[in-house]
Amino acid sequence: MFLARVLASVMLLLTLTSPARAADEPLSLWNDSPSRNAIIDFVTRTTTNGSSDFLPPEQRVAVFDNDGTLWSEQPMYFQGLFVFDRIRELAPQHPEWKTKEPYASILKGDYKKALAGGDKALITLVMATHAGMTADEFSSIVAQWLATAEHPTLKRHYTELVYAPMLQLLDYLRANGYKTFIVSGGGIEFMRVFAEKTYGIPPEQTIGSSIKTKFEMKDGKPQIIRLPQIDFVNDGPGKPVGIARFIGRKPVMAFGNSDGDIQMLQYTTGGSGPHLGVIVHHTDATREVAYDRQSSVGKLDKGLDIAAANGWILVDMKHDWKKVYPFE
Amino acid sequence: MFLARVLASVMLLLTLTSPARAADEPLSLWNDSPSRNAIIDFVTRTTTNGSSDFLPPEQRVAVFDNDGTLWSEQPMYFQGLFVFDRIRELAPQHPEWKTKEPYASILKGDYKKALAGGDKALITLVMATHAGMTADEFSSIVAQWLATAEHPTLKRHYTELVYAPMLQLLDYLRANGYKTFIVSGGGIEFMRVFAEKTYGIPPEQTIGSSIKTKFEMKDGKPQIIRLPQIDFVNDGPGKPVGIARFIGRKPVMAFGNSDGDIQMLQYTTGGSGPHLGVIVHHTDATREVAYDRQSSVGKLDKGLDIAAANGWILVDMKHDWKKVYPFE
């Protein structure tokens, strides 16, 4: 009995003083900050039996923007960089591109001029690189690009440029019975190539913009053919529409970083019942890039103005995160 | 010791001979039949570690048509009966309907004449009953209808007219790590009102046809507004497109009952790797309705011709199912 008691005391002591304890705490990659505490408080309230904010598991739906919320988006949305790389790769098969805009500017490395043509130029480039093949072929092209391409300045594969504190948050939410979804303006089939391995989010929980497709039996084999026509733009007011269509249930947590996430945040936090809206604010010029109101990519302007009035939590990347990227 | 041994023997005997044993067997509501055995064999092969057909859990995707596969569809798709009921309910607010087709024929009970106008008449009726309200309002209308309306001949609530052996199959698949999806020509928001409670299939796994919607802040409250415009028809070749869009992964099991399911079956069973295609054949004129090639609802004609060549399993409802409806 005596030995058992000593053993129990020692184990208690270990529990109280072990350095392993910090790592076991939720969101250990987050500093003790209002944003971290608001998230933990919300998850605790909604998952504690008997709490007035308790949510049954099927209502625990959390939605995440991707670009700028789960991975970086500077100097340009990574899918945009994929488009540029792809145009260069396909150029030998299209000699006419050397003198035809917006291709010509891209081949000269002048992305700004290429995109000066606005939506029309952008759609032309997207269709030239995203349509005209089967779904399987497109996935292979993206997978190959992700495995080989490097970020222009950081010289890392793009899937390395994910936010370690957000990966930890995804795990933490799932460990608490939350179902995690991506709701992004990015291409749905583009993101699905890496979302499962990178974020633990399966394709059926990855929602994004899409082009039209059609089904065909080709030489006795079933194929999904990608067509050069916009189907759905899952950005801004399109995000709640995409959520209603794909999830069919209002989320209770929403995480975004730009004005394109405002409607998703409004939809999530605008009704009754427990809800939490969070905006990741890019404040870290050293470890990442500091940008908000003036940025052409991931612009956060109106969102900053209305966050407080809506009760949305701002994550201050510089002060709230112990590290930004997993490789740090 | 002696008593313990006797007790153990008695318990062993009970285990071997108990009538409870049959109920523990998979698919006990199915007779020992080729279809039941093919399903059990497939599930066993794909979930047994070390089997050459073993599938990791994330690849265990099973898709089910709804009308005629999970619940009945005679004398008319139940959503069609909802449309007719709804037109009658709304008629007092639309005095002009008394003389205007296709409404007039419905108000006279002449559904055949109402639908003689083809797609145009049908779309008119769908928009009059499915659009022009918020998503929440539409869900309430459907919920109210399901709670009160009765099948014209069976005098049962529609959610009672589900197939007990299929409910058991859904449970069996899920118990074996399969994720079950509905992939139906029916309305996505219509089905989501009852699919979770009736089938255990959550909204995000219920895929169907849709009309366009838009997001709006109305008096500070977020709303999804239903617009009178077709968005997507999830039938025939639309089914693989819907699967690719919503699930983003090829299913390994597909269950249908009509020619509208052919492409979904082709998509599921057309590639390499383990796969199983199943057609529920309505052969039971006593317990349900016997119909196939000549039926205007749930027509199964080409599907019957090509099933064998594709290796698709036919479920003979009359001979393979011990009962049809749960209340029997």
Side-chain angles (χ1 to χ4, degrees):
Chain A
M1 275 304 285
F2 172 76
L3 271 174
R5 255 195 241 174
V6 169
L7 195 65
S9 304
V10 169
M11 286 178 71
L12 183 68
L13 207 67
L14 281 172
T15 310
L16 291 172
T17 60
S18 162
R21 203 180 151 236
D24 288 348
E25 270 185 10
L27 307 187
S28 60
L29 297 178
W30 296 59
N31 288 313
D32 185 5
S33 62
S35 65
R36 173 181 176 274
N37 296 338
I39 293 168
I40 293 177
D41 173 63
F42 183 81
V43 170
T44 307
R45 276 189 287 129
T46 54
T47 59
T48 303
N49 246 308
S51 153
S52 63
D53 282 344
F54 179 79
L55 295 170
E58 70 270 16
Q59 286 181 36
R60 297 180 198 164
V61 171
V63 291
F64 289 81
D65 170 59
N66 183 41
D67 299 306
T69 300
L70 294 179
W71 75 355
S72 286
E73 60 184 354
Q74 296 287 359
M76 159 63 91
Y77 301 116
F78 293 173
Q79 194 172 357
L81 298 171
F82 164 76
V83 168
F84 299 157
D85 284 354
R86 193 75 194 134
I87 292 287
R88 276 190 294 267
E89 208 173 318
L90 292 169
Q93 303 163 41
H94 299 272
E96 76 281 9
W97 284 359
K98 271 187 194 157
T99 53
K100 194 176 169 187
E101 291 295 350
Y103 310 102
S105 292
I106 286 179
L107 298 178
K108 285 175 204 142
D110 189 346
Y111 303 135
K112 212 166 171 177
K113 194 177 164 199
L115 295 177
D119 278 359
K120 204 186 148 207
L122 187 66
I123 289 172
T124 301
L125 294 169
V126 168
M127 295 314 171
T129 51
H130 286 64
M133 71 287 277
T134 69
D136 288 344
E137 285 163 355
F138 180 72
S139 295
S140 299
I141 292 165
V142 175
Q144 176 70 14
W145 181 78
L146 287 171
T148 54
E150 283 186 352
H151 186 275
T153 58
L154 298 171
K155 303 296 172 195
R156 295 266 179 180
H157 293 314
Y158 292 101
T159 49
E160 292 181 87
L161 301 175
V162 293
Y163 304 133
M166 296 302 286
L167 297 183
Q168 191 183 44
L169 171 60
L170 288 169
D171 282 338
Y172 169 65
L173 291 178
R174 289 189 290 252
N176 282 281
Y178 272 86
K179 209 162 178 175
T180 54
F181 291 82
I182 292 174
V183 178
S184 168
I188 190 164
E189 288 92 355
F190 180 84
M191 294 186 293
R192 283 172 171 176
V193 175
F194 63 93
E196 186 155 38
K197 198 177 157 198
T198 304
Y199 304 130
I201 298 181
E204 67 269 25
Q205 287 162 227
T206 300
I207 304 165
S209 299
S210 53
I211 58 174
K212 287 200 186 289
T213 65
K214 67 169 177 178
F215 175 75
E216 228 177 64
M217 289 298 288
K218 211 175 163 182
D219 309 324
K221 279 193 172 180
Q223 302 285 4
I224 301 289
I225 312 287
R226 295 172 60 78
L227 305 172
Q229 201 186 338
I230 298 281
D231 180 54
F232 178 62
V233 178
N234 192 58
D235 197 27
K239 289 203 176 194
V241 168
I243 290 170
R245 174 65 30 83
F246 279 77
I247 310 181
R249 181 141 46 196
K250 205 188 268 191
V252 294
M253 300 181 90
F255 297 82
N257 77 299
S258 78
D259 285 356
D261 298 314
I262 287 177
Q263 288 88 348
M264 175 171 83
L265 288 159
Q266 288 175 322
Y267 184 53
T268 302
T269 66
S272 57
H275 47 70
L276 187 73
V278 180
I279 293 177
V280 175
H281 190 193
H282 292 262
T283 50
D284 197 324
T286 310
R287 296 182 300 181
E288 206 219 13
V289 186
Y291 63 97
D292 46 37
R293 296 185 191 272
Q294 306 301 324
S295 179
S296 64
V297 172
K299 177 177 176 167
L300 176 65
D301 185 27
K302 193 188 165 195
L304 275 183
D305 293 336
I306 65 173
N310 282 280
W312 301 338
I313 306 296
L314 282 176
V315 173
D316 180 336
M317 284 175 71
K318 183 176 178 179
H319 295 105
D320 295 358
W321 287 359
K322 289 190 184 151
K323 61 180 192 173
V324 172
Y325 298 124
F327 55 78
E328 275 166 25
Chain B
M1 278 304 287
F2 172 74
L3 271 174
R5 254 195 244 173
V6 169
L7 195 64
S9 304
V10 169
M11 285 177 73
L12 183 68
L13 207 67
L14 281 172
T15 309
L16 290 173
T17 60
S18 162
R21 203 181 152 237
D24 288 347
E25 270 185 11
L27 306 188
S28 60
L29 297 178
W30 296 59
N31 287 314
D32 185 5
S33 61
S35 64
R36 173 180 177 275
N37 296 337
I39 293 168
I40 293 176
D41 173 63
F42 183 81
V43 170
T44 306
R45 276 189 286 128
T46 54
T47 59
T48 303
N49 247 308
S51 153
S52 63
D53 281 344
F54 178 79
L55 296 171
E58 69 271 16
Q59 286 180 38
R60 297 180 197 163
V61 171
V63 290
F64 290 80
D65 169 59
N66 183 41
D67 299 305
T69 299
L70 294 179
W71 74 356
S72 285
E73 60 183 354
Q74 295 288 0
M76 159 61 91
Y77 301 116
F78 292 173
Q79 194 172 356
L81 298 171
F82 164 76
V83 168
F84 299 156
D85 284 352
R86 193 75 193 133
I87 292 286
R88 274 190 295 266
E89 208 173 319
L90 292 170
Q93 302 162 41
H94 299 271
E96 75 279 10
W97 284 0
K98 271 187 193 157
T99 53
K100 195 177 168 188
E101 291 296 347
Y103 310 102
S105 293
I106 287 180
L107 298 178
K108 284 175 205 141
D110 190 345
Y111 304 134
K112 213 168 171 176
K113 195 176 165 202
L115 295 175
D119 278 358
K120 206 187 148 208
L122 187 65
I123 289 172
T124 301
L125 294 170
V126 167
M127 294 315 169
T129 50
H130 286 64
M133 71 287 277
T134 69
D136 289 344
E137 285 163 356
F138 180 71
S139 295
S140 299
I141 291 166
V142 175
Q144 176 69 13
W145 181 77
L146 287 171
T148 53
E150 282 188 352
H151 186 274
T153 57
L154 297 172
K155 304 295 171 196
R156 295 267 179 180
H157 293 313
Y158 291 101
T159 49
E160 292 181 87
L161 301 175
V162 292
Y163 303 134
M166 297 302 285
L167 296 183
Q168 191 182 46
L169 172 59
L170 288 169
D171 282 337
Y172 169 65
L173 291 178
R174 291 191 289 250
N176 281 280
Y178 271 87
K179 209 163 178 174
T180 52
F181 291 82
I182 292 174
V183 178
S184 167
I188 190 165
E189 287 92 355
F190 180 84
M191 294 186 294
R192 282 172 171 177
V193 175
F194 63 93
E196 187 155 37
K197 197 176 158 197
T198 305
Y199 303 131
I201 298 181
E204 66 269 26
Q205 286 162 227
T206 299
I207 303 166
S209 299
S210 52
I211 60 174
K212 287 200 187 289
T213 64
K214 68 169 176 177
F215 175 74
E216 231 178 61
M217 289 299 288
K218 211 175 164 181
D219 310 324
K221 279 194 171 180
Q223 301 286 4
I224 302 288
I225 312 285
R226 297 173 59 78
L227 305 172
Q229 201 186 337
I230 296 280
D231 180 54
F232 178 61
V233 178
N234 192 55
D235 196 29
K239 289 203 175 194
V241 169
I243 290 170
R245 174 66 29 84
F246 279 77
I247 310 182
R249 183 142 44 199
K250 206 188 269 191
V252 294
M253 301 182 90
F255 299 82
N257 78 296
S258 78
D259 285 357
D261 298 313
I262 287 177
Q263 288 90 347
M264 174 170 85
L265 288 159
Q266 288 176 323
Y267 185 53
T268 302
T269 66
S272 57
H275 48 70
L276 187 72
V278 179
I279 293 177
V280 175
H281 190 192
H282 292 262
T283 51
D284 196 325
T286 310
R287 295 181 302 180
E288 205 219 14
V289 186
Y291 63 96
D292 48 36
R293 296 183 191 273
Q294 307 300 325
S295 178
S296 63
V297 172
K299 178 177 176 167
L300 176 66
D301 184 30
K302 193 186 164 197
L304 275 182
D305 293 337
I306 66 174
N310 282 281
W312 300 338
I313 306 297
L314 282 176
V315 173
D316 180 335
M317 284 176 70
K318 182 177 178 177
H319 295 105
D320 294 359
W321 287 359
K322 289 191 183 152
K323 62 187 211 170
V324 173
Y325 297 124
F327 55 77
E328 274 166 26

